[in-house]
Amino acid sequence: MPLKKQLKLDPKQQKLSGFLGLTSSEPSGTEEVSTLTENEAAATSTSENQDKKIRKFVSKWLTLYSWLNYDESEDYMYCTICTDNKKMNGMNKAAKNRNFQNTTLTRHVQLEEHRMIVEAPLQRQNLKRLNDKQESQRDKALNVLLKSFHWMCSENLPISKFKSMVDFMHDLAVPGIAILKQSPFGYDSEYTANELLDSLAAVAETDLIDQLNHSPFVTVLTDESTDLSNTKRLVLYAQLISEDMKPSTVFINNTECKDASGKGIAAALQYELSQRGVPLEKVMSLGSDGASVMTGKKNGAAAIMRRSNPHMVNIHCIAHRLALCRSQAAADIPLLHKHQQTLTDLFYYFKGSSKRESRLHAIQAILDDPCLTIKEIHSVRWLSYFNALETVFRTMDSIFTYLEELHSTGKDPKATGLKKKMATDTFVGTTYMLMGAMAPVTILSQFFQTENIDIALVKVKLDLCLNDLEKVKAMESPYCRQLQEDLQMNKFRGQHEISKTNFNLKNLT
């Protein structure tokens, strides 16, 4: 009978083993394989443990990766960037990464959140560079805009013209101003113009205060007047010494003065000066027009201010005094009043008709006279009388021609009346005599009105003026000699009939 197959459970392998003809005491091939496998596994595990102990941090990595840091005391590495930005990943300081492999670092470099943090400063820098460039272009455009507005203010142009000026600059493609069109704000609006005006005024006021404070002494120049709305105004200037020891004149303010008395003017002056840090003790002189409210001994503005500063000197404007002398000198001479009235009538005759003025200009062009408009005499304009007188003197030939032309037609009685007044030896002689007297006085007045007068030239100018007036009195001035040439045989320049009167030029001088 054949032997049956015997099955045997291997307690180590937990498998059935045993084949026909095998006994339990014989080692099987399975046991040998199993034993070999266990030995190899143990050897592999030992090798891996040895490898882990051998891996150490490589200091060279610190030069390759700027964000890497190594803690020697606890033997771990971490990313400073991710740690500072609180990114919780395997390279955060809190993770204490000891996987000292280059692949660990390269994988971290490719990590998206790490890459975003590294690139963020560069992106911010690029963005800042773009913003700075745009701001620089915008600043240049605003600089052009501000300079243009400053020019408008200097030329006394109305603010309402600001928008049209900006549009004109856009039409001309002024460099740098195109970027303003991208602005969401109305840079060409009236509000912007007012803001620019306030900015310029603030800068000018700051500069004014700085000049006043640096000057050791200050001279105040003031005058009162009324504006178009009949409001009492007080204009205020100051003369000071600059840092380079040169005199200069600055405008302070044109303020409303509700109380036009000496006390009110003094209070307004002290307030304007105190607002700019100028004590009254610093004011060494006060210049005015000589009115009683200014120069009164008891209640004048100068007297009130002198109580706080006894060293202050009161000065009556020399140009104003010269104008008063000139007007008062002719106050008792009826002939000069009549001459002035004739010049005023001539002005209003041509002012009332553009046709008359055009015809006069045409005659002036034909006779090669200067193309001048008849001027008006203003009582408060110191040079207006001479300007009106000079215009008539230089165009007298054309005026006589025009009046004779209208007189001959008999259609213009006003022209006939003016011809009778002007076509006389009295009017012509007075005109020439006044030109000889008024010309040097006007030159002297203009000298006194210069911003900074050279004191050494004052006596020289006065002597020249007096010498010219003496020549007029002696009938030796150039105008008196020219009168003898132009007025002969009752004819003016040999063409116009001149009426003879009992006029004696020597008696007038």
Side-chain angles (χ1 to χ4, degrees), residues 10-23:
D10 189 346
K12 293 182 179 181
Q13 299 295 327
Q14 296 293 324
K15 297 180 181 179
L16 292 176
S17 63
F19 297 94
L20 183 63
L22 295 178
T23 61

Side-chain angles (χ1 to χ4, degrees), residues 20-83:
L20 183 63
L22 295 178
T23 61
S24 59
S25 60
E26 295 178 355
S28 63
T30 304
E31 291 180 356
E32 293 179 359
V33 173
S34 175
T35 303
L36 180 61
T37 303
E38 289 179 358
N39 293 335
E40 292 177 353
T44 303
S45 176
T46 303
S47 176
E48 289 179 357
N49 292 333
Q50 291 177 353
D51 291 342
K52 288 182 179 180
K53 292 179 181 179
I54 293 173
R55 289 196 184 106
K56 294 182 180 180
F57 183 80
V58 181
S59 58
K60 184 180 179 181
W61 292 341
L62 295 175
T63 60
L64 297 178
Y65 305 99
S66 59
W67 45 265
L68 183 62
N69 201 358
Y70 175 64
D71 190 335
E72 295 183 1
S73 60
E74 298 187 20
D75 189 32
Y76 67 89
M77 62 182 179
Y78 62 93
C79 174
T80 57
I81 296 178
C82 293
T83 302

Side-chain angles (χ1 to χ4, degrees), residues 207-431:
D207 182 64
L208 171 63
I209 294 174
D210 185 66
Q211 293 184 58
L212 291 173
N213 292 332
H214 281 85
S215 178
F217 304 107
V218 174
T219 294
V220 176
L221 309 173
T222 184
D223 192 13
E224 55 177 337
S225 184
T226 55
D227 57 14
L228 294 176
S229 61
N230 202 28
T231 302
K232 200 72 173 178
R233 312 290 298 185
L234 188 68
V235 62
L236 183 62
Y237 283 82
Q239 284 188 327
L240 45 87
I241 301 176
S242 61
E243 294 182 354
D244 53 354
M245 298 303 295
K246 292 183 179 179
S248 61
T249 303
V250 295
F251 171 76
I252 295 181
N253 198 4
N254 183 14
T255 183
E256 182 180 354
C257 184
K258 296 182 179 180
D259 185 1
S261 63
K263 184 177 180 180
I265 293 174
L269 291 176
Q270 294 183 48
Y271 174 78
E272 292 294 332
L273 293 174
S274 63
Q275 288 293 104
R276 292 160 179 83
V278 180
L280 199 58
E281 293 77 10
K282 199 174 181 178
V283 180
M284 291 292 103
S285 62
L286 173 65
S288 63
D289 59 355
S292 58
V293 294
M294 293 289 186
T295 60
K297 294 183 178 180
K298 293 184 178 180
N299 299 321
I304 295 174
M305 296 175 66
R306 197 182 292 116
R307 293 167 191 166
S308 301
N309 182 9
H311 300 287
M312 189 185 74
V313 180
N314 182 28
I315 299 176
H316 184 185
C317 174
I318 188 64
H320 188 264
R321 294 177 67 178
L322 180 62
L324 291 177
C325 292
R326 185 177 59 193
S327 61
Q328 292 175 5
D332 299 330
I333 304 177
L335 182 62
L336 297 181
H337 283 285
K338 185 177 180 180
H339 184 272
Q340 179 176 340
Q341 185 60 45
T342 302
L343 295 180
T344 302
D345 294 341
L346 183 66
F347 166 76
Y348 282 107
Y349 173 77
F350 285 102
K351 180 185 178 182
S353 174
S354 59
K355 181 179 179 181
R356 295 171 183 170
E357 188 168 341
S358 299
R359 179 56 184 166
L360 177 62
H361 289 334
I363 294 175
Q364 290 172 346
I366 294 173
L367 299 179
D368 291 332
D369 280 347
C371 188
L372 302 176
T373 302
I374 307 300
K375 305 294 191 304
E376 182 181 10
I377 299 176
H378 295 274
S379 59
V380 295
R381 297 288 185 269
W382 297 337
L383 305 179
S384 64
Y385 188 87
F386 178 75
N387 292 334
L389 179 69
E390 185 185 29
T391 301
V392 173
F393 172 78
R394 297 177 64 185
T395 62
M396 189 174 291
D397 195 2
S398 300
I399 294 174
F400 283 163
T401 302
Y402 175 86
L403 294 178
E404 289 173 1
E405 181 181 293
L406 270 293
H407 172 68
S408 62
T409 61
K411 296 181 180 180
D412 194 341
K414 291 184 179 181
T416 301
L418 285 173
K419 181 180 180 301
K420 290 181 179 180
K421 291 180 181 179
M422 297 180 65
T424 63
D425 57 352
T426 301
F427 180 84
V428 175
T430 303
T431 301

Side-chain angles (χ1 to χ4, degrees), residues 158-170:
I159 297 180
S160 58
K161 300 296 183 181
F162 177 65
K163 187 178 187 313
S164 61
M165 184 193 68
V166 175
D167 293 338
F168 179 64
M169 288 194 295
H170 281 303

Side-chain angles (χ1 to χ4, degrees), residues 110-157:
Q110 299 174 358
L111 194 64
E112 182 177 0
E113 61 182 7
H114 174 83
R115 189 170 63 252
M116 291 178 60
I117 296 173
V118 173
E119 294 176 355
L122 181 60
Q123 293 176 355
R124 285 194 295 268
Q125 186 178 1
N126 292 336
L127 182 61
K128 184 178 182 301
R129 189 182 298 110
L130 292 175
N131 289 335
D132 292 343
K133 183 178 180 180
Q134 182 132 5
E135 288 294 331
S136 177
Q137 293 176 350
R138 188 178 290 108
D139 290 343
K140 290 180 180 179
L142 291 176
N143 190 25
V144 173
L145 196 67
L146 189 60
K147 286 183 177 180
S148 303
F149 187 78
H150 180 266
W151 173 82
M152 286 184 57
C153 296
S154 302
E155 296 296 326
N156 294 322
L157 297 178

